[in-house]
Amino acid sequence: MNELQIAIDLLQLLINNYKDGDTLVIESELKNFCLNKYNTKPSTEEISNSIELINSNANSKIITEGWHQSGGFLGMLSTAKESKYSSAH
């Protein structure tokens, strides 16, 4: 997938998810968004490269990557994790 397209879509989702100064996008949310829009899912590596593209063009770390415990309430008991992307503070 085109890293610029992924970067634009990630920024759009971060804007759409903005609440009270915080914003968060989970990897599966971004992948599903791209699947619906382009009929393909980006890899984790392509997403990371897109984040690097955004941060390098801004000359600042504006998006950070981390881990999100998945599985809802039972997720607290689970070891299942997926990548998350949030705006840097």
Side-chain angles (χ1 to χ4, degrees):
M1 243 188 109
N2 182 314
E3 291 172 0
L4 182 57
Q5 289 175 321
I6 299 167
I8 291 168
D9 292 335
L10 176 57
L11 288 170
Q12 184 62 54
L13 286 172
L14 286 168
I15 290 167
N16 291 346
N17 292 346
Y18 180 82
K19 293 179 186 166
D20 299 325
D22 293 323
T23 188
L24 170 72
V25 172
I26 299 168
E27 183 175 20
S28 59
E29 180 182 7
L30 176 59
K31 286 185 173 192
N32 289 334
F33 183 83
C34 291
L35 179 63
N36 290 332
K37 190 171 180 180
Y38 307 111
N39 204 31
T40 186
K41 289 183 179 181
S43 68
T44 302
E45 182 180 355
E46 288 173 316
I47 296 170
S48 292
N49 290 341
S50 297
I51 291 169
E52 178 61 33
L53 176 69
I54 292 167
N55 289 339
S56 66
N57 280 313
N59 292 324
S60 177
K61 190 170 187 170
I62 60 172
I63 298 178
T64 59
E65 295 180 79
W67 294 104
H68 176 75
Q69 197 94 17
S70 59
F73 175 72
L74 296 177
M76 290 187 290
L77 306 174
S78 171
T79 59
K81 293 183 181 180
E82 66 178 299
S83 295
K84 71 176 181 178
Y85 315 102
S86 57
S87 58
H89 294 38

